[in-house]
Amino acid sequence: MSHKPFHQTGSLVKFYLRTDLFRILIWIFSITVLTLLTGWAFEDLYPSEIERLAIAETMKNPAMTAMVGPGYGLDHYTTGAMMAHQMLLFTAILAAVMTILLTARHTRGDEEDGRSEMIGSLPVGRLAPLTSVLIVIGFSQFLLAIALGTGLSVLGLDTSASFLYGAAVGGTGLFFAGMTALFAQLAESSRGTTGFAFLILGLSYIVRAVGDVSNESLSWFSPLGWTLKTEVYVNNFVTPLLLLIFGSIILTAAAFSLLFKRDLGTGMLPTKPGRRYAPQSLLSPLGLAFRLLRTSIIVWGFALMAIGASYGSVLGDLESFFASNDMLSNMVDPASGLTLTEQFVSMLMAIMSMMAAIPALMFFFKLKSEENKNRTENLYARAVSRQKVFMSYIAVAAIFGSFMMVIATVSLWGASVPVMDDPMSFSTVALSGVVYLPAIWVMIGLGALFTGLKPGITGIAWGYLIYSFLVVYLGGLLQLPEWPGKLSPFGHVPQIPGEEISYLSLLILTVIAAVLIVAGLKFYQSRDLSG
Amino acid sequence: MTILHIDHLSKRFGKFQALNDVSLSIKKGEIFGFIGPNGAGKSTTIRILLGILKPTSGSASIFGLDVWKESVEIHKRIAYVPGDANLWPNLTGGEVIDLFLKLRGSYNPQNKQELIEKFQLDPTKKCRTYSKGNRQKVALVAAFASDAELFILDEPTSGLDPLMERVFQECVLKAKAEGKSVLLSSHILSEVERLCDRVAIIRQGEIIESGSLDDMRHLTRTNLIVETIEPLNGIRGIHGVHEVKETEKGTSLQVDTEALNEVIKKVSTLGIIRLESTPPTLEDLFMRHYEGTGSDSR
């Protein structure tokens, strides 16, 4: 068998296509639709040259460059240049996530779950499974490139540049497929494989961000840097694309040579043993809740920080941008005597507080998912009361939900200072953010009530958050009457600067939150638990 | 002294009657077997005892305390092992054991170490990498390292290999020797037969038989294998004789306890070559209750 290492590759390609075709098509469809919607929105939002140049001005700051990459053609900011600047990196990362997950699943994942052994016991070549997986994934990236290229051309962008855009995205996907195939040989578990691959993806992003801001040549050390160096729609360089493809070939070859040498089920990177004893900090329901949510808290913290920073970084050129955009200037009230920027900040705070409410709710709903997975039984079978566990999750959700809002507010202020001629004071910005905390607590209270009543109906809390977002955000945009906003806790928060701070309404929101939480607890204490 | 008392307990999930008028009690120092097929109501009973489900009617108490209202007080003095330990994938086995012991109350760290070695568990591995048997070991170590007075074990050995099963049985017998009580729910009948002092059989939410194994055996039939010089005629005519079959070793038959005297008298007149008598196994008892009904799963 060893002299026919690729025996039956064709049949395995068909087999993997059968198991994964639907999943691949969903990925391609989502990435393509997202890209095309953004392109379409750009066309719609900034129809004229003047508006595009105004938005280009807001992009010329280090925070934006670090986040989405250096803008090419900012002086002649066409829709294509906008796509390449604001969307290409993000889309390429999505393609990388897609290939990392798919590759890990059929390499180390199959090996871990014993499927590789089943396939290996059949008359199949030693290298055939990996070859066929990579053929299927290569095919998926080819399809993705074609879909993006075709779609963007249809939007009216330059055809050959559009296909280069698609190829840059697909090329990034291929590179990380090769990377994952290599780590699948090195790591000992499928989690280790995806972990290492995502680590490299994250490092690539950071190296590129640092390079783009400080030293352009550093960005050449990051595969995501290559993606952007194509400078699609502006200069259309092909060499960086070739680098991506060449890189993926080298990585794949390395993976094959390791696969040929090693035993099934073994890895080459040592796995370090975990803790033999629990640290003191874990040994309580609160400690456990925090530990289970720790990664999620960190990820959301960075996300809210990035959102705050990106909003803050555009505040500098806001006035000129507003002057050129009717749609946005409709949202603010010229009669209030405040600058546009100040009015815009209180609007941004409303949006960010609703974004911070998402992790706050998710942290609390961990209690529900623990119940669904029959793990709360582990606590309740011991000397732990329902109140203690319930309030532990309330505490984590309230503390870290508030923390998300604070971190977003602080990073908005931090990013706004260097770009504004006349920076806003920290206390003004901080106050305009902090007043939204009671509204976030009301959302947690609602989550608590539904979890207590019946875990199946917790979706209502999400629906209510979406409703709040629509009425508060679109309400300003579409100049809706005031009452729909008043049905949401976020509509009762004083808008600082501009409005007087109303301690009464903040107090009432806090009391409502407390009442909801206590009611939720009472119901939770008296119902059957599913586990 | 009664440790655990269940009194006319019923539980309904919507229209489904999961438990119907269940009563039983466990005395101090006793190992009590709770047997029945999947879906018969064993786990529902245990979850009511743990205060996770609320009884529809009837009551249950442990150490004289109500299982719903005073669950935390009770849980300081009991240890529980579920049939399928659901652990947190990104904690190690060692972390989970420490957490479980701490949440329950006091324990002996040296006991813990000995048990980890006895069960051959690697506590430095993340729970996601454990097989089913290893996850059970985590729950078993956490339970037996505690100083609980009552052990509630719900099919605790599922997934364990025969060697570990033996270690488990040693742990249970050691607990008994220390005067502790055990509620062992199981469908491994040989395990129950080996360990338990008294047994209750549950079917479709109702207790259909309970008592000591000796009592239960007494109520049923003895298996006999008989070989005689003269042909064994007329034995079928005796009231209380069942399942007469010719085998290689002789005639096999089952005899009701009250007919035993008459059968032996008859057989002894025919010149005995071989006479073997075996008590009914728990499996025989069990199967008799389920014959014809099948085991319906919920």
Side-chain angles (χ1 to χ4, degrees), chain A residues 77-332:
Chain A
Y77 208 45
T78 59
T79 305
M82 252 190 230
M83 287 301 291
H85 183 202
Q86 297 183 37
M87 277 302 285
L88 176 57
L89 179 63
F90 175 60
T91 316
I93 289 174
L94 280 183
V97 171
M98 166 184 175
T99 58
I100 288 172
L101 293 179
L102 288 175
T103 311
R105 185 185 157 80
H106 282 309
T107 49
R108 195 44 89 158
D110 277 357
E111 201 170 321
E112 198 171 75
D113 297 341
R115 288 186 292 266
S116 300
E117 200 175 308
M118 298 283 289
I119 289 175
S121 69
L122 302 169
V124 162
R126 196 167 163 74
L127 302 181
L130 181 60
T131 313
S132 38
V133 168
L134 289 173
I135 288 175
V136 168
I137 287 177
F139 172 68
S140 77
Q141 295 309 293
F142 178 72
L143 271 188
L144 177 62
I146 298 290
L148 286 173
T150 314
L152 289 168
S153 318
V154 170
L155 272 186
L157 300 172
D158 179 68
T159 307
S160 61
S162 296
F163 278 96
L164 181 61
Y165 183 101
V169 171
T172 314
L174 275 187
F175 184 89
F176 280 94
M179 181 72 76
T180 313
L182 178 60
F183 278 123
Q185 316 311 317
L186 294 171
E188 217 167 39
S189 67
S190 77
R191 259 186 91 87
T193 306
T194 47
F196 280 119
F198 279 125
L199 184 71
I200 297 289
L201 181 62
L203 282 178
S204 308
Y205 184 86
I206 292 169
V207 168
R208 181 214 52 78
V210 173
D212 285 350
V213 172
S214 60
N215 180 355
E216 285 265 336
S217 55
L218 184 60
S219 302
W220 282 103
F221 288 94
S222 157
L224 291 176
W226 302 341
T227 313
L228 292 180
K229 298 279 185 199
T230 50
E231 303 185 14
V232 186
Y233 291 115
V234 181
N235 294 320
N236 297 321
F237 295 132
V238 180
T239 324
L241 173 65
L242 296 179
L243 268 178
L244 283 172
I245 291 169
F246 188 61
S248 78
I249 291 170
I250 291 188
L251 289 166
T252 306
F256 274 116
S257 76
L258 289 179
L259 176 62
F260 214 72
K261 284 180 201 149
R262 74 182 177 92
D263 291 339
L264 195 68
T266 58
M268 300 191 176
L269 295 173
T271 44
K272 75 171 181 4
R275 288 175 198 270
R276 183 172 292 271
Y277 305 104
Q280 198 61 39
S281 60
L282 176 67
L283 297 178
S284 68
L286 181 63
L288 178 68
F290 174 70
R291 170 71 180 272
L292 296 178
L293 288 166
R294 193 172 59 191
T295 315
S296 175
I297 288 171
I298 294 170
V299 170
W300 275 100
F302 278 112
L304 267 294
M305 194 161 84
I307 288 167
S310 60
Y311 281 144
S313 69
V314 302
L315 290 178
D317 302 291
L318 210 59
E319 302 278 339
S320 58
F321 178 61
F322 268 74
S324 72
N325 192 310
D326 292 340
M327 197 165 117
L328 284 173
S329 45
N330 273 343
M331 290 175 71
V332 291

Side-chain angles (χ1 to χ4, degrees), chain A residues 191 273-280 282-285 288 291-292 295 370 373-375 377-386 525-531, chain B residues 11 13 47 50-54 68 72 75-76 78 80 82 86-92 94-95 98-100 102-104 112-113 123-126 128 142:
Chain A
R191 259 186 91 87
R275 288 175 198 270
R276 183 172 292 271
Y277 305 104
Q280 198 61 39
L282 176 67
L283 297 178
S284 68
L288 178 68
R291 170 71 180 272
L292 296 178
T295 315
E370 286 284 293
K373 290 175 185 155
N374 283 355
R375 291 194 208 126
E377 178 187 270
N378 289 332
L379 307 181
Y380 295 132
R382 299 187 166 78
V384 177
S385 68
R386 294 188 183 192
Q525 283 174 317
S526 57
R527 76 167 164 89
D528 284 350
L529 297 176
S530 66
Chain B
K11 177 69 189 175
F13 296 108
R47 296 180 128 190
L50 291 171
I52 290 169
L53 300 179
K54 195 174 184 173
W68 175 260
V72 175
H75 294 179
K76 287 179 186 162
I78 69 166
Y80 165 64
N86 293 289
L87 308 176
W88 297 276
N90 46 357
L91 300 188
T92 64
E95 285 180 313
D98 284 354
L99 176 71
F100 283 180
K102 175 71 201 275
L103 292 179
R104 205 199 66 81
K112 182 188 94 173
Q113 210 48 50
T124 64
K125 286 210 164 132
K126 300 266 186 193
R128 89 169 84 261

